[in-house]
Every structure is written in structure tokens, then in C-alpha cells.
Amino acid sequence: MTKSDQHQVTDKEARRLAKGLVVLFSAPLRVMEVSGLEKPLTIADMIRMGGTILGGLNAATTNDSLLKEKNREFILKVCELVYVPDELEEFLFGRIVERRENAGDINEAISQVEGLMSGPGATRRFLKEAIAGMLPKGPRGRPTQFNPDSDPDRFLALSSRLMRVCGQLLNLRELFPKKTNKELADFLKTEDPKGAEFVQKHEGFISQTLRDLDFRVLKAHKTRVQRLADAIAGRELFHWTFKYAVQRGGEIRRFKGIEREE
């Protein structure tokens, strides 16, 4: 008998768990680590599925028709009540006090979720898990094709070409913080028409990059310019994300013995 099996949850503990579960079940989180379940669903399983019920239904599929129907009823019940917090709380409370659930398993599942939602980078971890399995599979910031013989040089050449306009853009943003990137690009056309075209083309991506915490923590101006140039070059050539472009840019420069700005 496990430690969690030995503990008999009190009504007070059951109520506390039920209240917390209402919040958890409302979160678009899916952290299931199994491909299928060969047992009736539990509250602990539902915590790991979170609000991603459609993804959770796949994990609950089984060849046992009776078990499948029980799982379906449980999931649909939570779906039905998730927007009625008081009723959902009573439903969960009832399962717990009737000893149909293992309090130890519930607390362990909650701890796993809390691990995603605490400490540095919690928001990004949470969002990554929230969208895992929900989006169609495809390129997620990485290239579908990358020629190791020629593309590193293409990337470095374009990044170097963009350094000037990126430096000018960052300088202008400091001078005119209320101006949009589009307005600043219009101004840059007189100095660097081609560079301004790249800024206009990737205006939304540039705005997203400049808001990224990994970019905002950079202090040195030269570093900020190079990272932004890498980001735009990676986006233009391979549809890379900011972080992946910086990563690959560093790898390419180290391979070629080029010192990167820090």
C-alpha cells in the first residue's frame, strides 16, 4: 500500500482540492505523458489534460467499449461544468469524498502542473505546454530545407547586410518610442531603401522580437543590432523564429571562427 493510499482525505481537504481543481480545469493545459489509458479516468488524469479536452479524448481512447463510455461521460461532464464553477466544484468534491479518487495522486498531478507554472520562464513553459499537441504539425521556426554548403554564407551575408538598418532602427526607436516600425521604416527609406523594405516586410515579426524577453535583456547596442539582424535574416531566408535564428547564427559563426558580439 502506497503512502497516498494510506491517507484518507477529509471533507475539508476534499473541498480545498475541488476548489483548486476548478481553476486548473479551466486552464488550456495538456501535460499527459502517455499515449493511451487502460483504466478509468481519474481527477489526476484530468489535471494533466487540463482544458484541452479534444486532445485528452484521444488519450482516453481504448478498445474496451464500457471503459471508453465511462471515460467519455467523465470528460463531457467536466466540459459541461467547466463554465459553471460552483457546480463543477460540487461534482469534483463528490468524487473525492466518495473515495473514488486518490488524494495522493491528485496532489502529485497538481505538483507536476505547479512545476510548469513556477520559477523563471514559467509563462513561456506554461504556454508551450498549453499548445503542445493542439497545432498542426509543421515547421515551428526551423527550416524545411537548409543547405549546409551554401546557406550558412547566405545567412551571414544577409545578416551583415541588415546590420546598418537594424542599428538605425534601434536608434530611432530610442529617439521616437511612440513611432511605429512602419513609420520608422518610411523614414529609413531615404538612407537605406533596400534595408527599409526588409523592415516593412517583417514589421510584425520585428515588433514581436523587440518585445521578446530574451531580446529586451540585452544591454550592449552592438549585441542588440546583431541579434536583430540575425533574426530578420533567419526569418527572410528560412522562416526561423528569433531564438532559433540567434542559436543558428551563433553556431555558424563558431564553426567559421567568427567572434560574435556579446
Side-chain angles (χ1 to χ4, degrees):
M1 182 177 291
T2 65
K3 183 177 179 181
S4 61
D5 291 330
Q6 294 173 352
H7 175 67
Q8 294 296 313
V9 65
T10 66
D11 285 1
K12 183 177 181 179
E13 290 173 323
R15 179 63 67 184
R16 176 183 60 80
L17 283 172
K19 287 182 180 294
L21 292 169
V22 170
V23 177
L24 283 173
F25 287 153
S26 300
L29 185 66
R30 182 175 184 268
V31 289
M32 290 294 291
E33 296 179 351
V34 294
S35 58
L37 296 172
E38 299 301 328
K39 61 183 180 64
L41 283 172
T42 65
I43 287 178
D45 295 324
M46 290 298 288
I47 291 171
R48 295 186 180 96
M49 290 180 189
T52 317
I53 300 301
L54 291 178
L57 280 169
N58 292 329
T61 299
T62 171
N63 293 326
D64 185 328
S65 59
L66 181 59
L67 176 57
K68 184 175 182 179
E69 182 60 25
K70 286 183 178 180
N71 287 345
R72 178 179 175 276
E73 289 177 359
F74 182 50
I75 291 174
L76 292 179
K77 189 66 175 179
V78 174
C79 289
E80 176 188 344
L81 298 179
V82 73
Y83 297 112
V84 191
D86 292 342
E87 292 184 29
L88 178 58
E89 180 183 327
E90 290 304 318
F91 170 69
L92 299 172
F93 175 75
R95 284 185 64 105
I96 297 170
V97 297
E98 290 169 10
R99 312 296 186 232
R100 295 168 63 187
E101 300 287 346
N102 187 306
D105 288 344
I106 293 173
N107 283 312
E108 180 183 355
I110 290 173
S111 295
Q112 291 175 359
V113 174
E114 287 176 342
L116 289 172
M117 300 173 67
S118 62
T123 300
R124 278 175 290 172
R125 271 204 312 278
F126 180 87
L127 291 174
K128 285 179 181 178
E129 292 292 345
I131 63 174
M134 294 174 63
L135 299 178
K137 301 300 181 183
R140 298 280 302 275
R142 281 137 173 90
T144 53
Q145 293 183 339
F146 183 82
N147 186 334
D149 294 326
S150 60
D151 284 344
D153 290 331
R154 289 178 61 213
F155 171 80
L156 291 178
L158 182 55
S159 177
S160 178
R161 166 69 181 79
L162 292 168
M163 288 282 286
R164 180 187 178 192
V165 73
C166 287
Q168 292 173 328
L169 176 64
L170 292 177
N171 287 335
L172 288 174
R173 283 183 62 87
E174 290 184 5
L175 292 172
F176 308 104
K178 294 184 179 180
K179 296 287 187 181
T180 65
N181 287 332
K182 183 179 184 306
E183 291 173 324
L184 296 178
D186 289 338
F187 181 82
L188 291 170
K189 284 181 180 179
T190 58
E191 295 289 329
D192 186 353
K194 185 62 177 178
E197 286 182 17
F198 283 109
V199 173
Q200 287 183 319
K201 179 179 180 180
H202 300 291
E203 176 192 351
F205 173 72
I206 291 171
S207 296
Q208 182 181 13
T209 297
L210 297 179
R211 290 194 301 267
D212 193 294
L213 178 61
D214 287 347
F215 186 87
R216 289 190 289 115
V217 298
L218 300 174
K219 301 301 181 184
H221 179 71
K222 288 185 177 180
T223 303
R224 290 165 61 85
V225 171
Q226 185 172 85
R227 299 291 168 84
L228 182 57
D230 281 357
I232 299 173
R235 189 71 168 185
E236 170 69 19
L237 295 174
F238 315 111
H239 204 67
W240 287 347
T241 64
F242 160 60
K243 292 182 179 64
Y244 192 65
V246 170
Q247 174 190 327
R248 291 305 302 269
E251 292 171 353
I252 292 170
R253 289 184 177 89
R254 283 194 296 273
F255 180 77
K256 292 181 172 291
I258 302 173
E259 185 175 350
R260 188 174 74 173
E261 296 288 348
E262 296 294 348

